[in-house]
Amino acid sequence: MTNQDIIAKIKTIVTPYTQRREGLLEFNESTNFLNDLEINSANLVDVVLDVEDEFDIEIDNNSMEGMMTVGDARDIILKKLNT
Amino acid sequence: MIIGNDIIDLKIALAKPRIRNIRFLSKIFSEKEISQLAKQDNPELSIWKIWAMKETAYKAHQRIFQFTARFDPLSYICDLNELHIKKDAAIYDIKIDQDKEHLYAWLATEPIDHIKIPYSSDYWNDFTRQFCHRTGIELEDIKIYKNKFGIPELAFNNNSTRLPVSITHHGRFAAVCFPLINC
């Protein structure tokens, strides 16, 4: 799976939870879930669970703690896929 | 000063039952909190009560210790009976207002005021208009300032004072709380 594939899948996952739609137009690895997409923090848990399901991985609490941007999520996914 | 708030639109929050979703619960609540939840009259509502308390404490804690945003809800330990959150050595007492539509949690170490407004793309302007009406401050004098950690303050053109504010929105609702000021 390429970097772009992963980012595209993350975009699909976060879209239903995104309150600031403009944030989806310039979606890239520096996009911040809370500031740029205004995803409610309660929905961050839904994002984490959906990422776990989509990539068949388990995101431990330490990893979740730092999952603030699309790039963070991609790095966590890559790391889990490769272990 | 210490200040924090969090609002939950109950129509949205309660639309998706969570109490049996152990994967969801275990990412944000400890086993002790989950067993506390099970004993409540309305466990679904209590999920959001604890959540709002944790979020409120997080905002206060981040303002005191000035750290980059992180998502570590398990480290905020809730006591639903005492209505407080323990984080490291700190204990935050939380106040809760609620009705059928929303739940609002807040904490402050000094007297504060709250402005609740409907959430829209224009909610910040709605807030500043009401804020100016209450405080007598001129509308054009006010700017929102966020530091590098994203922690908000109100800045005023005519002097260098900055006012700590806490901002929250969810679904149909938004709320801002701020210290009472003399005008």
Side-chain angles (χ1 to χ4, degrees):
Chain A
M1 206 174 326
T2 67
N3 190 33
Q4 284 313 312
D5 292 339
I6 294 178
I7 289 183
K9 283 188 174 183
I10 295 171
K11 188 175 179 181
T12 308
I13 288 171
V14 300
T15 297
Y17 307 112
T18 296
Q19 299 193 85
R20 186 175 167 272
R21 311 305 287 186
E22 305 95 287
L24 293 171
L25 300 175
E26 27 188 274
F27 193 89
N28 58 50
E29 60 178 67
S30 64
T31 299
N32 185 292
F33 296 128
L34 302 179
N35 301 332
D36 299 320
L37 303 180
E38 295 192 359
I39 294 177
N40 191 272
S41 48
N43 287 130
L44 264 190
V45 188
D46 293 307
V47 169
V48 172
L49 295 175
D50 290 353
V51 166
E52 287 187 339
D53 291 339
E54 175 65 36
F55 295 94
D56 196 21
I57 54 175
E58 195 188 330
I59 297 176
D60 56 276
N61 293 326
N62 275 343
S63 304
M64 184 175 81
E65 181 175 327
M67 208 176 104
M68 288 291 144
T69 65
V70 172
D72 296 336
R74 184 226 23 226
D75 293 347
I76 292 162
I77 292 162
L78 280 174
K79 196 173 152 209
K80 301 286 174 186
L81 286 176
N82 290 324
T83 49
Chain B
M1 74 172 284
I2 303 174
I3 191 167
N5 69 352
D6 195 57
I7 201 159
I8 305 273
D9 183 336
L10 291 176
K11 199 169 161 187
I12 294 177
L14 297 175
K16 204 169 169 183
R18 305 280 195 173
I19 197 71
R20 289 181 212 290
N21 187 343
I22 199 71
R23 276 178 73 211
F24 176 88
L25 295 179
S26 63
K27 292 230 182 276
I28 52 177
F29 300 139
S30 67
E31 279 179 28
K32 205 173 164 188
E33 286 164 347
I34 295 171
S35 68
Q36 232 182 357
L37 274 173
K39 292 179 199 138
Q40 304 299 312
D41 292 338
N42 187 340
E44 291 289 348
L45 181 65
S46 302
I47 287 173
W48 298 106
K49 200 166 164 181
I50 299 186
W51 178 255
M53 288 172 67
K54 288 191 185 215
E55 275 291 295
T56 299
Y58 168 84
K59 288 179 187 170
H61 198 72
Q62 192 194 20
R63 189 177 295 271
I64 299 168
F65 292 97
Q66 297 286 316
F67 51 83
T68 307
R70 60 174 89 117
F71 191 59
D72 57 347
L74 283 168
S75 72
Y76 293 76
I77 299 158
C78 178
D79 186 323
L80 209 44
N81 299 320
E82 300 292 328
L83 285 187
H84 68 222
I85 296 281
K86 197 165 175 294
K87 165 65 181 171
D88 303 334
I91 291 183
Y92 298 106
D93 287 307
I94 317 282
K95 307 269 195 305
I96 294 189
D97 300 329
Q98 70 179 83
D99 62 20
K100 277 188 176 164
E101 303 297 326
H102 82 291
L103 192 153
Y104 180 64
W106 56 277
L107 81 93
T109 48
E110 288 166 37
I112 58 169
D113 204 353
H114 310 264
I115 291 179
K116 289 184 188 171
I117 48 234
Y119 180 69
S120 72
S121 55
D122 212 27
Y123 85 97
W124 187 254
N125 288 332
D126 294 341
F127 161 72
T128 48
R129 270 193 295 273
Q130 282 199 39
F131 178 81
C132 292
H133 184 72
R134 276 194 206 183
T135 58
I137 291 168
E138 295 288 331
L139 200 54
E140 56 270 26
D141 286 341
I142 300 179
K143 276 207 307 253
I144 178 85
Y145 167 84
K146 285 188 183 178
N147 74 7
K148 63 176 174 173
F149 302 116
I151 299 167
E153 290 177 317
L154 288 185
F156 304 99
N157 282 341
N158 53 355
N159 69 48
S160 58
T161 316
R162 286 211 172 124
L163 202 60
V165 289
S166 186
I167 305 166
T168 174
H169 66 83
H170 183 227
R172 295 165 291 163
F173 307 111
V176 181
C177 64
F178 50 90
L180 290 179
I181 44 174
N182 299 317
C183 302

